[in-house]
Amino acid sequence: MNPYTDRTLTELSEALTKKQLSSAELTRACLDEIEARDGEIGAFLTVCKETAPWAAAEIDRRRLAGEALSPLAGIPAALKDNICTKDVRTTCASRMLERFVPPYDAFAWELLKNNGAVLLGKCNMDEFAMGSSTEHSALGTTRNPLDLSRVPGGSSGGPAAAVAAGMVPYALGSDTGGSVRQPAAFCGLVGLKPTYGCVSRRGLVAFASSLDQIGPLAKTVRDAALVMNAIAAHDLLDATSVGSGEDFTREIGREIAGVRIALPEEAFGDEIDPAVKQTVFAAAKKLEALGAALVPVSMKELADALPAYYILSSAEASSNLARYDGVRYGYRSTAGGDIDALYRASRSEGFGAEVKRRIMLGTFALSAGFYDEYYEKASRVRARVCGAFARVLNDCGLILTPTAPTTAFRIGEKQSPTALYAGDICTVPASIAGLPALSVPCGSVGGLPVGVQLTGRAFGEALLCRVGTALEEG
Amino acid sequence: MDRNEKTLIDVERLALLARLTLTEEEKKTLPAEMEEIIRFASVGSTVGAEGGTWTDRPVTPKTNVFREDVPEKGLDRETFLAGAPTRTDAYITVPRVVEEEA
């Protein structure tokens, strides 16, 4: 049994700083835990068995030499397999990129590496991040460590399962419509989708460029904030990068008395499992007991957010995934024929069923005759959703909702594509508005964790971390 | 919502536009699946084609920022070619795209 399984990033960081523990020992313990448990969980697609101990030893050497190191130095990290790592294959859990070895690091990973993070491995996901259960991976099934018959959520299901199983102290996922927050909720973890532009998207394999954000999955809010301190920097090579430069932990520990928290009635509708609803309400009451003011609000504009999200994200995906043509990199079919046949065969053999469905939906929404009715209309919904958030967040500091309508469901339970899509109802509004949203565990139903989602103002992550920590402690 | 009627979703044409070849199985299952998905993704009647800006994106700074125009060394050709499925010297090989003259 790994003696570090239950330790938080913050605790491990302290132990390393005080030299009570070496990075080599910690990294070895994590690798052993993967060896022992990942056979049944299936969180990892690639484990850096050889390079991780080497990187850990290098940090130990620097620490012993008296160098001042980052709080993340020497701590193993896992990355979702759509975050590019130089010389380490990055598959997006797709046949298309099964053998793809990136020639560069994603900026977020480059920053973590500069902070002394040790790359432990790359984690499973829904193919190209399209899904909410990790069942759409072309490379294997990931099981929820809390109940192996259930999904870990998705699309960052691998990173979430790895952290929840104690195989790694934290991981980076990516969130387009809830892909960090929902697996965090299903696995009893903290997950943060930062404000759009807060973390660079360079080297994150593109799904829907106006929505994608990299975010941390961790055991505590403070842990997630420490990771954010490292990765939220301005990147000259991502035109939408704003960065932050803030200390995301700076408000943690401050009282929450007087904070105004909005509860939109539309976010607690019939789609939400009654027991989940009750658990999330109890979390709100806990915050009220700590002095926060609960403000009932109405956000009717949220009703169309889910369909609009599927149009916008699929439209962008159909365009982004046009690059996979079997020519320059990735899978190439050996079927033969002319160049057009090569494109079509490579794409048809390389992409899985869900990716093809999304490409087809996006192609439909952008095609002549349907563009106005679908893409333009969805964009108008997006503007209205942004307006609704602006209205509510003008008066309140944050909005509290469930993270997901249910707890983790059984593998294979949701058969139709739309049954899965419906589960994204709580998370997509913040995505299409580009706002930061934090999922924090707030209890359990039938032994499975429930997450509460806190959505804040643009670049208002510090307040979310403060209120999130109050929930953890309360 | 007459636009969602079956006859308007031509799956084979969409596949052509998306450079996908459907299997016989997909030709059978996809039309119904796509119909269901498109019905799901149809925005309700609460949103009309009213005015206002819809091309705005949230959060992203509204002013354009340029970096200094300074040459920098990028990654070299060999690094990128290493990922190509097939190559001949410094070229990626693909099926012939121009016809030979008669």
Side-chain angles (χ1 to χ4, degrees):
Chain A
M1 185 67 190
N2 178 349
Y4 313 113
T5 296
D6 297 328
R7 309 275 292 274
T8 66
L9 172 61
T10 306
E11 289 163 353
L12 291 168
S13 178
E14 201 185 308
L16 284 167
T17 307
K18 289 182 177 163
K19 301 195 181 71
Q20 296 161 343
L21 172 70
S22 73
S23 174
E25 288 171 281
L26 176 59
T27 302
R28 174 46 51 204
C30 290
L31 287 170
D32 288 348
E33 195 68 10
I34 293 172
E35 184 72 33
R37 293 205 63 197
D38 205 38
E40 60 178 14
I41 293 169
F44 285 87
L45 294 174
T46 302
V47 181
C48 303
K49 281 181 205 147
E50 269 139 49
T51 51
W54 185 88
E58 173 63 15
I59 296 296
D60 286 337
R61 189 193 61 74
R62 286 169 57 188
R63 196 183 304 278
L64 283 175
E67 242 183 86
L69 298 171
S70 148
L72 301 182
I75 299 183
L79 305 179
K80 186 177 183 179
D81 212 17
N82 59 351
I83 298 172
C84 284
T85 42
K86 189 177 184 324
D87 302 331
V88 178
R89 74 170 190 155
T90 300
T91 66
C92 284
S94 179
R95 296 275 169 230
M96 186 59 86
L97 293 176
E98 197 174 355
R99 291 180 186 80
F100 174 60
V101 178
Y104 50 74
D105 283 322
F107 189 60
W109 166 237
E110 193 182 316
L111 290 167
L112 279 186
K113 203 155 74 171
N114 292 344
N115 276 266
V118 173
L119 182 62
L120 194 64
K122 305 292 295 287
C123 290
N124 201 14
M125 53 188 279
D126 286 295
E127 183 176 0
F128 282 100
M130 297 174 185
S132 326
S133 65
T134 315
E135 290 169 295
H136 292 311
S137 166
L139 304 182
T141 306
T142 301
R143 295 172 182 279
N144 191 321
L146 308 175
D147 178 344
L148 296 176
S149 70
R150 293 177 188 270
V151 302
S155 64
S156 310
V163 178
M167 297 188 281
V168 68
Y170 75 97
L172 291 187
S174 70
D175 189 314
T176 302
S179 283
V180 162
R181 291 163 281 162
Q182 182 256 26
F186 280 13
C187 291
L189 300 172
V190 169
L192 174 67
K193 182 201 86 75
T195 308
Y196 184 77
C198 198
V199 179
S200 165
R201 290 179 295 109
R202 173 158 58 98
L204 169 67
V205 177
F207 162 12
S209 304
S210 78
L211 300 155
D212 298 341
Q213 271 292 286
I214 290 174
L217 287 134
K219 291 200 182 86
T220 68
V221 173
R222 178 178 287 278
D223 286 2
L226 284 174
V227 177
M228 284 302 294
N229 281 354
I231 64 173
H234 179 237
D235 180 6
L236 275 171
L237 299 181
D238 170 358
T240 58
S241 165
V242 179
S244 169
E246 294 175 44
D247 176 4
F248 288 84
T249 66
R250 71 180 189 279
E251 292 193 26
I252 291 177
R254 277 175 54 188
E255 280 187 24
I256 62 157
V259 174
R260 290 173 65 78
I261 300 175
L263 272 71
E265 59 172 312
E266 292 79 4
F268 293 87
D270 293 340
E271 307 86 350
I272 315 297
D273 177 275
V276 168
K277 215 184 287 189
Q278 208 177 353
T279 310
V280 172
F281 268 131
K285 286 286 170 200
K286 196 187 274 180
L287 293 173
E288 190 176 41
L290 293 169
L294 302 183
V295 185
V297 298
S298 172
M299 294 176 76
K300 295 206 183 327
E301 296 88 341
L302 296 187
D304 284 325
L306 187 61
Y309 166 80
Y310 272 91
I311 293 297
L312 296 169
S313 62
S314 301
E316 293 183 32
S318 71
S319 168
N320 270 327
L321 272 61
R323 75 189 67 181
Y324 302 104
D325 56 7
V327 173
R328 288 151 302 159
Y329 61 98
Y331 177 80
R332 180 184 289 189
S333 170
T334 53
D338 62 10
I339 187 74
D340 196 58
L342 175 101
Y343 295 153
R344 296 180 66 158
S346 299
R347 291 167 62 77
S348 303
E349 293 165 24
F351 291 138
E354 180 60 20
V355 174
K356 287 184 204 172
R357 280 193 287 263
R358 304 261 188 132
I359 290 175
M360 299 268 280
L361 173 60
T363 304
F364 170 80
L366 293 174
S367 63
F370 297 101
Y371 180 93
D372 297 356
E373 179 65 17
Y374 289 90
Y375 186 75
E376 184 182 329
K377 217 167 169 185
S379 300
R380 288 187 190 282
V381 170
R382 182 177 206 171
R384 287 165 56 114
V385 169
C386 289
F389 275 113
R391 185 183 74 232
V392 171
L393 290 171
N394 185 38
D395 174 49
C396 296
L398 61 135
I399 299 169
L400 184 147
T401 65
T403 303
T406 63
T407 53
F409 46 89
R410 288 187 191 284
I411 293 171
E413 179 182 327
K414 297 203 178 178
Q415 295 291 342
S416 82
T418 51
L420 265 173
Y421 300 172
D424 298 344
I425 190 163
C426 307
T427 46
V428 296
S431 296
I432 67 177
L435 298 174
L438 177 74
S439 180
V440 184
C442 67
S444 64
V445 169
L448 295 165
V450 173
V452 56
Q453 175 177 245
L454 307 174
T455 303
R457 297 172 182 150
F459 301 100
E461 283 88 349
L463 176 64
L464 301 184
C465 290
R466 171 173 151 201
V467 176
T469 305
L471 264 178
E472 289 176 320
E473 289 166 353
Chain B
M1 301 292 277
D2 55 346
R3 284 240 160 125
N4 298 328
E5 301 270 320
K6 186 175 191 167
T7 49
L8 283 165
I9 301 162
D10 183 345
V11 170
E12 293 197 39
R13 185 180 135 72
L14 286 180
L16 180 73
L17 290 171
R19 293 292 182 277
L20 292 168
T21 304
L22 303 181
T23 61
E24 288 308 313
E25 177 66 19
E26 284 169 332
K27 280 179 194 164
K28 275 185 225 149
T29 56
L30 262 179
E33 255 178 28
M34 290 307 298
E35 259 176 65
E36 188 192 334
I37 290 171
I38 289 166
R39 210 176 307 120
F40 173 89
S42 296
V43 169
S45 53
T46 54
V47 181
E50 73 266 37
T53 323
W54 59 271
T55 47
D56 260 11
R57 286 290 171 269
V59 186
T60 304
K62 303 292 195 280
T63 52
N64 214 348
V65 183
F66 296 97
R67 67 173 168 86
E68 292 300 311
D69 188 13
V70 182
E72 279 175 37
K73 193 170 160 12
L75 295 179
D76 64 284
R77 187 173 68 186
E78 206 38 52
T79 306
F80 282 108
L81 280 169
T86 58
R87 59 182 284 200
T88 306
D89 303 324
Y91 301 96
I92 293 168
T93 47
V94 291
R96 182 183 295 279
V97 289
V98 286
E99 296 300 325
E100 280 184 86
E101 279 184 56

